[in-house]
């Protein structure tokens, strides 16, 4: 007799729950790594902002930003990540960096 549903303990609710928990723990670890990497990135960009302010350079560098966006899009493609998503993420980060640089420089938008 053939049935369309088998009760295999390897695919039972406990197994699915365990797999879901394992995957979520991996996601949580990756999220923590992303936060730490962003913190390191902002430490570097903070130093860039200080250097720019000391030498009266503008907070934004559109040519550098364009090169970085193109580079990140290529990296995203090679990693099978949507390049448009990667560009949106980098644009968000760049906007925050420029805001920091303006604050460091005491620009018109600085508090």
């Amino acid at each position: 007799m053939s049935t369309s549903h088998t009760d295999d303990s390897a695919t039972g609710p406990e197994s699915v729950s365990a797999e879901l928990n394992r995957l979520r723990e991996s996601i949580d670890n990756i999220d923590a790594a992303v936060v730490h990497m962003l913190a390191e990135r902002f430490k570097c960009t903070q130093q860039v902002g200080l250097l720019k302010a000391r030498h009266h350079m503008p907070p934004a560098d559109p040519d550098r930003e364009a090169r970085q966006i193109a580079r990140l899009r290529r990296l995203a493609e090679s990693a099978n990540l949507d390049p448009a998503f990667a560009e949106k993420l980098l644009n968000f980060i760049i906007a925050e960096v420029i805001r920091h640089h303006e604050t460091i420089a005491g620009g018109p938008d600085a508090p």
Side-chain angles (χ1 to χ4, degrees), residues 74-103:
R74 288 190 303 273
L75 287 170
E77 284 180 14
S78 69
N80 293 319
L81 181 68
D82 180 2
F85 169 76
E87 183 174 346
K88 288 177 193 174
L89 177 62
L90 187 59
N91 280 328
F92 179 76
I93 292 169
I94 289 170
E96 186 68 6
V97 167
I98 291 170
R99 188 180 69 74
H100 290 177
H101 289 183
E102 289 170 345
T103 300

Side-chain angles (χ1 to χ4, degrees), residues 4-71:
S4 61
H5 176 71
T6 60
D7 187 20
D8 183 354
S9 63
T11 61
E14 297 82 15
S15 177
V16 171
S17 180
E19 179 70 1
L20 187 59
N21 286 336
R22 185 189 68 75
L23 291 168
R24 286 178 173 165
E25 286 175 10
S26 292
I27 290 167
D28 292 349
N29 289 337
I30 293 166
D31 287 346
V34 167
V35 167
H36 288 284
M37 292 301 296
L38 282 172
E40 286 300 311
R41 188 185 196 288
F42 279 108
K43 285 179 189 175
C44 292
T45 60
Q46 187 83 358
Q47 294 301 309
V48 168
L50 290 169
L51 186 62
K52 284 181 172 184
R54 276 197 300 270
H55 295 277
H56 308 287
M57 298 171 72
D61 184 345
D63 290 337
R64 162 81 176 158
E65 294 157 20
R67 288 191 308 272
Q68 284 299 95
I69 288 168
R71 178 179 165 271

